[in-house]
């Protein structure tokens, strides 16, 4: 009996929520065709007029677009590392080995004379727009760049550069940042980064304070008050592709192959650094080997210097960073200490909640996301939407460590590790099952966020109603209940560590609230004109042969969002197979300007722009067909390039016959904001582990990963994406940044993936099931919303809680065999 | 800080004759090195100096390519940068990730950590050796249908290994598949798709599955 090999959804469970639901507030999922929101009574057509029903292609499992995926398997996908040009030079770096140092002596004379060397850049001859410094503020900061005929020759010359450093006092972790003798690394302005003085969240003693109600009265009125502290050791993702740049000049025109999440911003950035007109920069990044938010337009000058070297030497130049070097340029998750004081009612409801987070942020000068509310939004909000008294305080320091930022999402595990351990410990205090505790305390649809002193900046949305915003499209109950059911949570041993035998199994969960992509406004909506946001553009074209072309200036980092976008426009244009759509992408010469993707802006924002463009194309074609066929456009339908009368299929015209032999191009625009209304997403992770109590080592056996996901555009790619999300978060749970204990801030990165182990195929769990709860976002086309970042924060807490359930041992981050074993020994009093 | 590189090793090993001596302790020498150096006599030829100019012929997917290189040049650099078969990419350059793997005479090797001259004349399979310009190899098509690649950067490294593995073990268990591919890191973690691809390709090769 043979079987056909095709995309399978056997590891997924899709639960579609009703379009009309009885908790609706603000018109979210009410029966009406419109939502009327905000003090201004803004009217939005439900689903933008395109409901999630009778869909022909959205929701079906699809392999990625062939022109994107086949080159990956053939070895022809043009990663920048694969660009090979005649007479190319290679660039290698000399970098500071210290977190903070000054150059005492730098002598490149011997190096310059070595075989194959064409140019050496140092602080002496680097251009003024892209300076290299003599005071070095980061381990890995560039001291010199050597361009030579081969990498080996460039490395030989790097070794021949004579350099002496003065090792300076530095801030490498929270302990050194908060020590009374912490060195000044901010020219006397203090290393504590604070909200602006005119901000309502300004606090003289901390980085910022957010609060609501009366916290001290809240504690006084609570039945039980407990305090907890959790440590997170930092983390980073490292894509497989080395961070790469290739530059080639033809006269005054630069072609640059880059590696990041954008096209036009990098083009503009390079043009600015090189002092040239951006129209002379051709920037290309179609495929890349992963970015995960860690690479992007972030102000480091070395790409500009690579282009400069190419100009000066007259040769194309390529540089591929080593894994050790990348870790200086890529953003990190910060080391954090989270402190909680929580008051519970007798029933186990949170009545008062105080949260304090300490972190070091890298060479920042203004509050990063982690301070300016972002750290508190989402997970604090998740647990305080129903809490009358709460306070959140942040302490964020400038440090000589890599910049903090996104690592497959931002403000996730570094915050949520603590919260999910906390929720389980609070559940124990309250005598509640961990799922039950969360169901009682997390935000539910219908909960409102109160105004005034809390997230007032976030409240300033067109949909704000008397200063409040309300949860509606938010499947917090379902991800918990359906996730637990799918997982078999009822079989969990309620007494941690009590199972007999050497190998002990345990179950744990975590929950995570995050943004649902950047649900934004399209060009026909009133808010498009009034909100502050960046403009995104996509183009959809029909060429004279009738072929549809999607033009999108974004790279594909393995995101496969272009396939999602193709599915969306195929639905709009009645195209049955997405491989009939031609994609022009990742190149500043083939698609209109758009921004950098991040924060779930691919299908939500760029996909939205593409939808608007395709809607315009469809409307124009129907208008022309209506004139040609002398029928009302409402009586016509478009399918696979033919427009037919709904009443009589014989009455038809081919779309290409309406084009006058010319391409018909439509552009669509979106203004990207961090979500319209109170757009949120939520996910939960359930994990079963088996711990070997003789070694402390553990395996993840089974996972159920539940997501609040709007309407899933392509469950096959979504499933693969979420498997990757789980594994990457598992890696974050089990290791941290290898800072030296004796010399904080000094990292040991030199042995590549042995310095920062990532899971191998051996660690992949035997069973991993995705639960997609289709919450059907009512404000957007077809009910879809983003969920690439929704759930990832829930994983480390789930693993830590599962280890605790198995052994009775709760470890700090990262979760390691040594710590588990130590904990087991302590429990048995055999240390 | 001390820095020990591949070049230092070669310089040291030539100076002290360590590698020549190591032929007597085969466990320390890669199977490939043994096949190059073992001449059946007690003493083997010493290694050339690191920057010695050489010219070698490489058999890539059945085609011969003669290139100039140095003794220290890695096989990866010859394949990708000199010959231009850029399908084989490089990641860690420290033999820790498997991205640069090619199959030499039926054995997977990390091309970033093999000296090019050691691989001269040996039959090497790279990703370009799979399928034809008009038709994908079944393992490639099956990989697409199983979402065995998100970004695709690690893909060239494991595809040839998986295909070679299936030729030797056409009906593997999941455990055997995982062990065969344990030397390949995938950051996007397409591991589930990769495992399923190897299973389905085995079934296809045995006539138990269709495309």
């Amino acid at each position: 009996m043979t079987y056909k090999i095709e995309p399978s959804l056997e590891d997924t469970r899709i639960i579609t929520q009703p379009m009309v639901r009885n908790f609706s507030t603000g018109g979210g999922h009410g029966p009406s065709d419109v939502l009327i929101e905000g003090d201004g009574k803004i009217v939005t057509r439900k689903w933008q007029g395109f409901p999630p029903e009778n869909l022909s292609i959205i929701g079906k499992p699809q392999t990625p677009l062939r022109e994107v995926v086949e080159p990956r398997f053939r070895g022809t996908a043009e990663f920048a590392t694969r660009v090979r040009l005649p007479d190319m030079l290679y660039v290698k770096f000399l970098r500071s080995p210290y977190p903070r140092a000054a150059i005492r002596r730098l002598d490149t004379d011997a190096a310059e004379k070595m075989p194959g060397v064409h140019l050496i850049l140092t602080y002496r001859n680097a251009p003024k727009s892209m300076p290299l410094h003599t005071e070095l503020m980061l381990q890995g900061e560039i001291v010199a760049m050597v361009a030579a005929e081969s990498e080996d020759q460039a490395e030989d010359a790097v070794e021949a550069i004579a350099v002496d450093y003065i090792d300076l006092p530095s801030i490498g972790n929270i302990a050194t940042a908060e020590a009374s003798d912490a060195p000044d690394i901010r020219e006397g302005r203090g290393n504590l980064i604070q909200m602006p003085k005119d901000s309502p969240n300004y606090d003289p003693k901390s980085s910022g304070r957010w609060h609501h109600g009366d916290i001290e009265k809240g504690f006084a009125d609570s039945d039980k008050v407990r305090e907890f502290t959790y440590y997170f050791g930092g983390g980073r993702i490292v894509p497989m592709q080395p961070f790469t740049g290739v530059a080639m000049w033809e006269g005054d025109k630069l072609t640059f192959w880059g590696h990041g999440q954008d096209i036009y911003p990098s083009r503009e950035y390079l043009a600015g650094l090189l002092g040239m007109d951006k129209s002379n920069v051709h920037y290309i990044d179609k495929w890349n080997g992963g970015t995960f938010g860690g690479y992007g337009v972030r102000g480091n000058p070395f790409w500009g210097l690579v282009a400069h070297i190419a100009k000066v030497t007259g040769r194309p130049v390529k540089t591929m960073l080593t894994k050790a070097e990348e870790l200086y340029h890529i953003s990190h998750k910060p080391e954090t200490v989270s402190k909680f004081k929580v008051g519970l009612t007798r029933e186990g409801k949170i009545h008062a909640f105080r949260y304090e987070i300490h972190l070091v942020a890298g060479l920042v000068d203004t509050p990063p996301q982690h301070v300016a509310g972002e750290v508190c939004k989402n997970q604090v909000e998740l647990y305080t939407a129903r809490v009358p008294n709460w306070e959140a305080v942040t302490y964020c320091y400038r440090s000589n460590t890599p910049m903090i930022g996104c690592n497959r999402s931002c403000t996730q595990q570094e915050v949520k590790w603590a919260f999910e351990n906390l929720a389980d410990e609070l559940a124990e205090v309250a005598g509640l099952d961990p799922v039950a505790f969360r169901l009682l305390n997390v935000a539910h649809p219908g909960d409102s966020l109160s105004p005034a002193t809390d997230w007032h900046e976030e409240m300033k949305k067109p949909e704000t109603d008397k200063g409040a915003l309300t949860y509606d499209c938010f499947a917090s109950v379902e991800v918990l209940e359906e996730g637990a059911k799918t997982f078999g949570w009822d079989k969990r041993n309620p007494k941690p560590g009590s199972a007999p035998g050497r190998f002990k199994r345990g179950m744990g969960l975590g929950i995570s609230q995050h943004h649902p992509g950047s649900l934004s406004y399209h060009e026909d909506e009133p808010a498009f004109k009034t909100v502050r946001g960046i403009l995104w553009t996509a183009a959809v074209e029909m060429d004279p042969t009738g072929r549809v072309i999607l033009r999108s200036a974004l790279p594909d980092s393995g995101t496969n969002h272009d396939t999602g976008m193709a599915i969306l426009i195929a639905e709009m244009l009645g195209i049955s197979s997405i491989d009939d759509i031609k994609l022009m992408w990742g190149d500043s010469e083939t698609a209109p300007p758009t921004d950098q993707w991040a924060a779930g802006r691919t299908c939500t924002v760029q996909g939205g722009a593409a939808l608007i463009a395709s809607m315009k194309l469809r409307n124009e074609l129907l208008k022309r067909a209506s004139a040609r066929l002398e029928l009302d456009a409402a009586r016509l339908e478009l399918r696979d390039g033919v427009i037919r009368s709904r009443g009589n299929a014989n009455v038809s015209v081919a779309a290409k016959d309406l084009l006058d032999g010319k391409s018909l191009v439509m552009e669509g625009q979106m203004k990207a904001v961090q979500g319209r209304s109170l757009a949120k997403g939520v996910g939960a992770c359930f994990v079963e582990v088996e711990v070997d109590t003789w070694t402390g080592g553990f395996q993840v056996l089974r996972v159920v990963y539940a997501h609040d996901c709007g309407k899933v555009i392509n469950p096959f790619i979504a499933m693969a994406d979420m498997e990757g999300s789980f594994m990457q978060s598992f890696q974050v749970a089990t290791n941290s940044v290898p800072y030296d204990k004796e010399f904080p801030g000094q990292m040991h990165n030199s042995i590549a993936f042995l310095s920062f182990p990532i899971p191998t195929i051996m660690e992949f769990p035997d069973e991993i099931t995705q639960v997609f709860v289709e919450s059907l976002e009512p404000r957007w086309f077809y009910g879809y919303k983003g969920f690439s970042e929704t759930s990832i924060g829930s994983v480390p807490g789930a693993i830590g809680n599962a280890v605790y359930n198995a052994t009775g041992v709760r470890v700090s981050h990262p979760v390691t065999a040594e710590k588990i074993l130590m904990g087991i020994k302590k429990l048995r009093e055999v240390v | 800080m001390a820095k020990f590189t591949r070049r230092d090793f070669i310089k040291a090993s030539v100076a002290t004759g360590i590698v020549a001596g190591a032929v007597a302790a085969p466990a320390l020498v890669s199977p490939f090195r043994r096949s190059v150096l073992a001449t059946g006599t007690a003493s083997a030829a010493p290694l050339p100096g690191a920057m010695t100019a050489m010219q070698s012929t490489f058999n890539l997917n059945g085609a011969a390519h003669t290139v100039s290189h140095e003794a220290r040049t890695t096989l990866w650099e010859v394949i990708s940068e000199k010959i231009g078969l850029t399908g084989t990419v490089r990641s860690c350059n420290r033999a820790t990730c498997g991205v640069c793997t090619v199959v030499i005479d039926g054995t997977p090797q990390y091309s970033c950590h093999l000296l090019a001259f050691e691989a001269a004349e040996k039959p090497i399979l790279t990703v370009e050796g799979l399928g034809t310009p008009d038709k994908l190899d079944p393992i490639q098509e099956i990989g697409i249908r199983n979402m065995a690649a998100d970004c695709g950067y690690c893909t060239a490294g494991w595809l040839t290994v998986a295909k070679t593995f299936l030729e030797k073990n056409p009906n593997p268990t999941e455990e055997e598949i995982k062990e065969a591919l344990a030397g390949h890191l995938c950051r996007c973690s397409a591991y589930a798709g990769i495992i399923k691809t190897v299973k389905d390709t085995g079934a296809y090769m045995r006539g138990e599955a269709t495309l």
Side-chain angles (χ1 to χ4, degrees):
Chain A
M1 241 295 256
T2 63
Y3 65 94
K4 186 157 194 263
I5 300 166
E6 42 191 11
S8 160
L9 293 177
E10 65 184 33
D11 296 325
T12 64
R13 198 183 149 216
I14 300 176
I15 301 165
T16 305
Q17 293 185 302
M19 288 166 68
V20 176
R21 311 209 273 276
N22 63 9
F23 61 75
S24 68
T25 55
H29 287 91
S32 164
D33 281 341
V34 295
L35 287 142
I36 302 173
E37 297 179 279
D39 299 315
K41 301 288 173 247
I42 308 154
V43 177
T44 303
R45 279 186 79 189
K46 272 285 205 36
W47 335 109
Q48 297 284 339
F50 292 87
E53 56 188 5
N54 304 319
L55 299 169
S56 46
I57 191 170
I58 289 176
K60 291 192 164 58
Q62 308 251 357
T63 56
L65 284 165
R66 285 272 150 171
E67 68 178 303
V68 178
V69 74
E70 273 194 25
R72 290 179 172 138
F73 283 83
R74 286 186 177 278
T76 54
E78 195 186 57
F79 304 119
T81 47
R82 283 189 171 136
V83 174
R84 183 175 162 269
L85 301 164
D87 300 320
M88 202 159 66
L89 297 179
Y90 295 84
V91 167
K92 286 286 175 180
F93 298 80
L94 174 66
R95 294 175 181 273
S96 171
Y98 297 105
R100 186 165 166 241
I103 297 176
R104 195 208 318 256
R105 178 177 78 101
L106 183 65
D107 184 346
T108 59
D109 285 349
E112 282 170 28
K113 297 184 180 76
M114 293 190 61
V117 173
H118 283 247
L119 181 65
I120 299 182
L121 279 189
T122 68
Y123 71 89
R124 295 187 182 110
N125 60 346
K128 286 197 169 50
S129 60
M130 300 178 273
L132 295 177
H133 301 106
T134 54
E135 190 182 346
L136 308 164
M137 295 293 279
L138 197 62
Q139 182 188 2
E141 186 165 342
I142 299 167
V143 173
M145 292 171 72
V146 176
E149 296 280 342
S150 73
E151 286 188 310
D152 278 338
Q153 289 176 325
E155 280 181 5
D156 287 344
V158 166
E159 283 174 29
I161 296 175
V163 60
D164 281 331
Y165 302 98
I166 305 167
D167 180 9
L168 296 173
S170 60
I171 293 181
N173 58 13
I174 296 169
T176 50
E178 295 185 334
S180 55
D181 59 349
D184 166 34
I185 60 167
R186 202 165 162 239
E187 291 137 6
R189 287 170 291 140
N191 301 319
L192 180 70
I193 306 295
Q194 292 178 289
M195 295 296 284
K197 283 210 166 69
D198 58 359
S199 161
N201 306 109
Y202 172 77
D203 179 47
K205 294 212 172 63
S206 71
S207 295
R209 181 172 168 263
W210 288 255
H211 62 100
H212 184 74
D214 182 338
I215 191 81
E216 295 306 329
K217 183 170 189 304
F219 289 134
D221 292 343
S222 297
D223 185 62
K224 293 183 180 124
V225 179
R226 297 286 186 277
E227 297 187 43
F228 302 90
T229 299
Y230 301 100
Y231 176 81
F232 179 89
R236 63 271 181 91
I237 52 85
V238 183
M240 293 317 289
Q241 180 183 333
F243 199 17
T244 307
V246 181
M248 177 183 78
W249 292 86
E250 286 159 308
D252 283 335
K253 200 160 158 131
L254 169 69
T255 302
F256 197 94
W257 288 264
H259 184 180
Q261 300 181 178
D262 61 86
I263 300 297
Y264 277 85
S266 283
R267 184 179 90 143
E268 198 163 315
Y269 173 64
L270 278 168
L273 289 176
L274 296 161
M276 57 193 285
D277 195 298
K278 62 191 179 195
S279 62
N280 283 331
V281 178
H282 180 189
Y283 186 87
I284 301 169
D285 181 4
K286 291 174 75 172
W287 291 268
N288 65 60
T291 48
F292 306 114
Y295 296 146
V297 179
R298 65 178 62 262
N300 78 72
F302 87 87
W303 276 359
L305 291 167
V306 167
H308 172 77
I309 291 171
K311 183 123 222 229
V312 168
T313 58
R315 304 271 290 267
V317 168
K318 182 175 191 173
T319 188
M320 295 180 283
L321 264 50
T322 66
K323 286 329 228 186
E325 290 179 301
E326 282 177 353
L327 288 157
Y328 311 129
H329 291 282
I330 203 169
S331 56
H332 281 210
K333 291 189 175 297
E335 180 200 28
T336 66
V337 171
S338 293
K339 300 184 180 180
F340 298 89
K341 184 172 176 182
V342 184
L344 297 174
T345 66
R346 205 187 317 269
E347 299 76 30
K349 282 183 96 154
I350 300 172
H351 185 68
F353 188 94
R354 187 173 190 276
Y355 174 50
E356 188 182 300
I357 182 170
H358 300 244
L359 66 148
V360 287
L363 294 166
V364 294
D365 210 33
T366 53
Q369 275 182 302
H370 287 69
V371 168
E374 183 74 21
V375 73
C376 303
K377 260 181 11 169
N378 296 322
Q379 209 72 349
V380 170
E381 204 178 276
L382 179 67
Y383 284 100
T384 61
R386 308 179 132 192
V387 174
N389 315 287
W390 61 263
E391 180 180 60
V393 183
T394 65
Y395 295 86
C396 173
Y397 303 91
R398 182 170 162 92
S399 58
N400 300 102
T401 54
M403 290 288 267
I404 64 172
C406 299
N407 276 220
R408 199 166 184 148
S409 193
C410 198
T411 64
Q412 289 270 22
Q413 299 93 333
E414 63 268 41
V415 171
K416 297 171 186 178
W417 160 259
F419 273 84
E420 293 313 293
N421 274 269
L422 172 76
D424 263 37
E425 295 211 76
L426 289 173
E428 256 187 353
V429 167
L432 290 173
D433 169 273
V435 172
F437 177 81
R438 286 170 176 81
L439 280 167
L440 185 60
N441 282 290
V442 301
H444 283 46
D447 290 346
S448 276
L449 286 190
S450 33
T453 50
D454 42 11
W455 318 129
H456 61 280
E457 280 303 316
E458 299 303 313
M459 296 302 180
K460 287 180 191 166
K461 296 198 179 183
E463 299 86 3
T464 302
D465 187 23
K466 301 182 202 54
L469 286 170
T470 308
Y471 283 89
D472 62 11
C473 180
F474 187 72
S476 53
V477 171
E478 287 76 8
V479 296
L480 286 168
E481 288 185 341
E482 297 296 337
K485 192 164 82 189
T486 307
F487 186 70
W489 181 260
D490 55 331
K491 296 188 187 53
R492 174 177 171 269
N493 184 345
K495 191 162 184 294
S498 62
R502 170 180 165 185
F503 293 94
K504 296 193 191 298
R505 294 193 175 185
M507 299 186 187
L509 88 141
I511 187 172
S512 162
Q513 171 179 313
H514 215 67
H515 62 65
S518 296
L519 281 172
S520 303
Y521 303 97
H522 65 74
E523 59 188 75
D524 292 333
E525 297 187 278
F528 181 86
K529 293 182 182 56
T530 56
V531 294
R532 263 193 0 224
I534 299 178
L535 215 52
W536 288 56
T537 311
V540 177
E541 174 183 333
M542 181 172 273
D543 75 12
T545 71
R547 184 158 201 203
V548 170
I549 302 170
L550 169 58
R551 294 180 182 276
S552 171
L554 289 179
D556 188 316
S557 301
T559 40
N560 292 295
H561 57 267
D562 22 55
T563 299
M565 288 168 45
I567 291 171
L568 289 171
I569 72 170
E571 187 73 52
M572 181 63 73
L573 294 169
I575 296 173
S576 301
S577 165
I578 56 172
D579 286 304
D580 288 342
I581 298 171
K582 171 104 191 96
L583 179 68
M584 305 289 287
W585 90 103
D587 185 324
S588 60
E589 292 191 352
T590 64
T594 201
D595 197 37
Q596 61 172 321
W597 62 258
R601 291 181 180 189
T602 51
C603 291
T604 45
V605 185
Q606 190 71 346
L611 267 174
I612 298 298
S614 59
M615 192 170 73
K616 287 177 176 177
L617 178 66
R618 173 171 170 263
N619 291 345
E620 179 60 26
L621 289 171
L622 289 178
K623 184 170 139 203
R624 294 183 187 189
S626 163
R628 178 77 64 91
L629 299 174
E630 294 173 344
L631 282 172
D632 199 282
R635 294 173 58 192
L636 298 173
E637 60 184 1
L638 168 62
R639 173 136 303 275
D640 291 320
V642 178
I643 299 166
R644 286 190 177 82
S645 159
R646 287 180 202 274
N648 183 353
N650 293 321
V651 177
S652 68
V653 59
K656 67 175 164 57
D657 293 338
L658 300 168
L659 303 178
D660 285 333
K662 294 196 296 269
S663 282
L664 180 57
V665 184
M666 295 294 183
E667 285 191 356
Q669 289 201 321
M670 295 273 297
K671 211 178 233 182
V673 294
Q674 195 68 10
R676 54 197 287 167
S677 185
L678 186 64
K680 294 290 172 183
V682 62
C685 182
F686 295 79
V687 164
E688 183 174 22
V689 301
E690 182 175 86
V691 179
D692 181 352
T693 57
W694 289 10
T695 64
F698 70 96
Q699 276 272 101
V700 172
L701 299 175
R702 283 189 316 123
V703 177
V704 166
Y705 205 19
H707 319 281
D708 159 30
C709 53
K711 174 75 198 163
V712 182
I713 298 169
N714 182 347
F716 182 59
I717 291 184
M719 176 188 77
D721 191 19
M722 290 299 109
E723 282 167 358
S725 162
F726 172 80
M727 288 305 283
Q728 201 147 39
S729 205
F730 166 75
Q731 180 258 322
V732 171
T734 51
N735 60 68
S736 62
V737 182
Y739 286 115
D740 190 296
K741 299 233 179 330
E742 197 189 338
F743 302 103
Q746 194 134 31
M747 292 179 281
H748 300 289
N749 293 326
S750 57
I751 333 169
F753 290 105
L754 296 181
S755 297
F756 42 96
I758 69 178
T760 70
I761 203 168
M762 305 299 287
E763 280 78 53
F764 198 79
D766 293 332
E767 277 175 50
I768 173 164
T769 305
Q770 309 300 330
V771 177
F772 294 125
V773 182
E774 295 193 321
S775 47
L776 307 178
E777 170 56 61
R779 294 165 187 80
W780 203 243
F781 294 85
Y782 308 119
Y784 80 90
K785 63 182 185 180
F787 62 100
S788 53
E789 303 188 12
T790 297
S791 317
I792 197 168
S794 66
V795 174
I799 293 171
N801 290 333
V803 167
Y804 174 75
N805 180 243
T807 60
V809 173
R810 191 169 288 284
V811 299
S812 68
H813 176 271
V815 180
T816 64
E818 293 90 336
K819 286 185 192 168
I820 295 171
L821 187 60
M822 252 338 246
I824 291 170
K825 286 181 174 170
K826 271 208 184 104
L827 274 185
R828 294 175 183 168
E829 291 164 359
V830 184
V831 174
Chain B
M1 291 190 292
K3 190 171 171 248
F4 188 71
T5 66
R6 160 175 53 82
R7 288 187 305 291
D8 297 334
F9 174 73
I10 293 164
K11 291 175 198 168
S13 65
V14 170
T16 63
I18 281 176
V19 177
V23 175
L28 297 175
V29 179
S30 75
F32 199 59
R33 182 72 60 81
R34 285 201 293 280
S35 75
V36 169
L37 294 179
T39 59
T41 60
S43 63
L47 284 178
M51 284 171 266
T52 305
M54 302 179 82
Q55 197 177 68
S56 309
T57 299
F58 299 90
N59 174 353
L60 296 173
N61 307 313
H65 303 263
T66 302
V67 293
S68 303
H69 59 92
E70 294 179 329
R72 61 178 171 171
T73 306
T74 63
L75 179 61
W76 175 80
E77 200 177 326
V78 159
I79 291 175
S80 176
E81 304 299 279
K82 289 191 180 291
I83 294 172
L85 262 65
T86 54
T88 303
V89 286
R90 190 184 73 186
S91 177
C92 72
N93 202 26
R94 290 287 182 276
T96 64
C97 75
V99 162
C100 67
T101 306
V102 294
V103 177
I104 303 177
D105 213 359
T107 303
Q109 300 274 354
Y110 291 164
S111 65
C112 73
H113 258 55
L114 201 59
L115 297 176
F117 80 84
E118 294 184 283
E121 314 288 342
K122 298 282 173 183
I124 301 172
L125 175 65
T126 71
V127 68
E128 288 90 347
L130 297 177
T132 65
D134 299 320
K135 204 165 162 21
L136 292 170
D137 185 283
I139 196 170
Q140 292 168 311
E141 178 61 38
I142 293 167
I144 290 172
R145 296 190 193 188
N146 280 316
M147 210 56 203
D150 287 359
C151 78
Y153 201 76
C154 75
T155 307
W158 64 260
L159 267 178
T160 50
V161 174
K163 187 166 165 80
T164 307
F165 167 69
L166 282 168
E167 282 162 4
K168 296 183 182 175
N169 183 351
N171 196 359
T173 63
E174 186 163 314
E175 212 42 50
E176 287 171 334
I177 294 171
K178 284 171 145 182
E179 284 179 8
L181 295 178
H184 298 271
L185 295 180
C186 173
R187 196 26 153 158
C188 302
S189 299
Y191 294 130
I194 293 171
I195 293 166
K196 195 148 187 301
T197 295
V198 180
K199 270 195 202 149
D200 282 345
T201 305
Y204 178 85
M205 285 162 66
R206 299 190 308 270
E208 292 165 23
T210 59
L211 277 172

